Amino acid sequence: MVDMNDLQFQVKQARDENALHIHLASMQIREDWDELESQWSDFRARAEIDQTAQGVGAALGQLGGELLAGYQKLRDALKS
């Protein structure tokens, strides 16, 4: 059985560490994050649109790939 107090502590600690890394990140990383968040909103909106229109699926796939690469780049930058 999971000790909820221990789990809560671990989750809070991980959250706090990430918050600190984000806070200390360079302005470029923050700008990258903001741009990715804008693209994420666009991606979600497009995903809800009828995907049967010609080319939408391919464009959506490309945007999804760019988002994934951007988030991975941000994760790697935060680790260094």
Side-chain angles (χ1 to χ4, degrees):
M1 182 188 261
V2 175
D3 178 353
M4 291 306 292
N5 287 331
D6 187 46
L7 179 58
Q8 182 179 3
F9 174 79
Q10 290 176 7
V11 170
K12 182 183 180 312
Q13 185 177 16
R15 180 186 178 276
D16 291 347
E17 287 174 5
N18 282 327
L20 178 62
H21 286 292
I22 291 290
H23 178 73
L24 297 175
S26 73
M27 207 52 192
Q28 181 62 48
I29 289 176
R30 290 180 197 176
E31 290 171 8
D32 290 349
W33 174 260
D34 290 341
E35 182 178 336
L36 286 168
E37 286 298 285
S38 175
Q39 288 179 349
W40 169 246
S41 294
D42 188 38
F43 176 77
R44 287 183 32 203
R46 289 183 188 196
E48 294 176 9
I49 295 172
D50 181 15
Q51 295 183 18
T52 60
Q54 185 175 356
V56 170
L60 192 57
Q62 180 180 354
L63 181 56
E66 290 172 5
L67 272 168
L68 181 58
Y71 282 123
Q72 289 171 339
K73 179 182 173 186
L74 180 62
R75 180 198 61 213
D76 293 342
L78 289 170
K79 285 184 178 182
S80 54

